[in-house]
Amino acid sequence: MSAADFLFSPEVQKFLTVLYAAPDQQFSTSELAGRAKLGEGETALTVEHLVRSGIVKRQAAKAREGRSSLVSSGGVRLAY
């Protein structure tokens, strides 16, 4: 067991693995769900948890993208 096992739920660990493996890549919610191998409902709840925790922040996307995005303090972007 690692310290992460005590600090983060398995879902959060999966998201952090995906996000920090590709810090410059942008993901849609469904892409993130697929990469983390979680359902979209569970993904939405986990993303909200990460936003409330300050690990991931909401940021407006460029107008041409037509969607808002999330950005972590490490520069990871998620389309949302």
Side-chain angles (χ1 to χ4, degrees):
M1 293 191 108
S2 71
D5 294 328
F6 294 101
L7 296 172
F8 302 111
S9 71
E11 295 81 12
V12 170
Q13 289 181 47
K14 288 178 183 181
F15 282 114
L16 294 178
T17 299
V18 171
L19 296 175
Y20 287 100
D24 295 327
Q25 189 170 348
Q26 192 171 35
F27 300 95
S28 69
T29 304
S30 60
E31 287 173 321
L32 184 59
R35 288 178 184 235
K37 296 182 174 42
L38 298 170
E40 288 195 38
E42 191 172 17
T43 297
L45 291 173
T46 303
V47 167
E48 284 303 314
H49 169 71
L50 294 173
V51 168
R52 285 191 312 273
S53 298
I55 296 170
V56 175
K57 298 177 186 174
R58 291 191 197 282
Q59 180 183 31
K62 296 176 184 173
R64 69 176 182 264
E65 291 178 16
R67 57 187 179 191
S68 46
S69 64
L70 303 174
V71 178
S72 81
S73 58
V76 177
R77 292 186 187 153
L78 297 169
Y80 187 66

